[in-house]
Amino acid sequence: MQAGIGYEIFPDRFFSFCQKKGTRDWHSELPSPQDFKEGKYKYGTVFYGGDINGISSKLEYIAELSVDFIYLTPIFSSPSNHRYDCSDYFTIDPMLGTEKDLKKLCSTAMENKIRIVLDIALNHVGDSHQWFIKATKGLKEKEFFRQINGSFTFWSNSKNLPELALENPELIDLLWRSEHSAMNKWMKAGISDWRLDCAYELGEEILRDIHKNIAHTQDHKIYAEAWTYPKKWLSNGYTHGIMNYYFKNIIDDFLNNTLDATQTGEILSYTIKDCTEEKLFPCWNILSTHDTPRIKNQYEDLWKLAVVMQFTLPGSPLIYYGEEIGMTGENDPYCRQPMRWELTEKENKTFDFYLNIIKLFKGSPALREGKFTRVFSNNQNILAYSRSTSKIDEYRLIVINPTHKDQEFTAYTTESFLMNRAQMQDIFSQERYTIVCSSIKGTIDPGSFLILQPLIDGTYTPYKRLINSNY
């Protein structure tokens, strides 16, 4: 399986096709923390009016990013803008649109070879859900909800998020197992894949049952929200992939100087060997999401290094809407500001950088499906690793300097077919480096990166029988 590129959309904040239905002007900032604290605004009730048709109308823009899938946070009926407090799994929130609108989005996306991944929270619903209202009245739906000593339990002790009793056979049939279940309904409407919210709380048996009942139907995949070490989620038939917060945490600590380059290389090398590249390719390499500060807030002047790691480590890079145009924002809800479309209408260096790194990823079999190898360096401040296939011209060497000083380095690769005295060239700067006995020596600027490839040009090349072999 190859890695692909994903694009996360928070529907209320992407684009409003039907204008003037939100509670706040699109071009206005979110209320201040003080406003929320003083109760002038209630969390989750500020709406900007983004909708499904708005996403459809921007598919040409998304396609320009060479995206393979779009991940939508929940779209089911709900009283909140984030919609993780579902009030009906079988209906789309009217503020977002209709089933017809969703079918159109899925169909148009498929024409552009883009899969739609829909988010679903199965662990809990909102307290406005009819099931819960009936449960509080002692009706049979009471058995749909998790209880301890006769009292309902609530996700993270939030009293508006009652937890579901997912061991209940009738509830299981309603959610995923039967032909007329909620998940089957939306797959019939055109949804390709699912992201399971709070997957780490669903448990092994439930995840296996969802995987068994959903994945076998045509070509549907399951991705899990799991803020943990990836291996067990990928090796026990639970999911096809996870949101790889584990890699994000390593990138965070490396760029924040909590981990040095040697430690980072060791952890990455062990993790990738332990989990295997093949299992990691479908996992989403994330840097920011609707739950975290945006990239430029987290990494500041080292944000490009984070993006390079996101696109060059095994996995499928997930772009959070607006990252590609340089949007900023701190923790939720400020990482969920409306998309700033005006930034797409003028020269934008961040956008240019993303287009270049995407082009590199799309054009590189080594990055999409190649082997990861740690590369040793004589400089402990430098992180170096390679991605490779059986073809030497597809070899890529990544070198990263997170420090604020120039760093001299020698990178000792284990690639036997890097020819002595031949050269490697940085894909971005075009700077050249000479290979000496499979090692590369050079100087790297502060807070910068190199992505090197073998330089194969001219009439003479020592690689002539490696790249054009008939054997």
Side-chain angles (χ1 to χ4, degrees), residues 438-464:
S438 294
S439 68
I440 296 91
K441 181 182 294 186
T443 301
I444 183 170
D445 293 337
S448 69
F449 65 91
L450 302 172
I451 302 178
L452 304 176
Q453 63 182 357
L455 184 62
I456 302 174
D457 61 4
T459 56
Y460 166 73
T461 171
Y463 298 104
K464 54 183 173 289

Side-chain angles (χ1 to χ4, degrees), residues 79 89 242 258 277 366 434 456:
Y89 289 109
I242 66 166
T258 304
E277 288 95 345
T434 300
I456 302 174

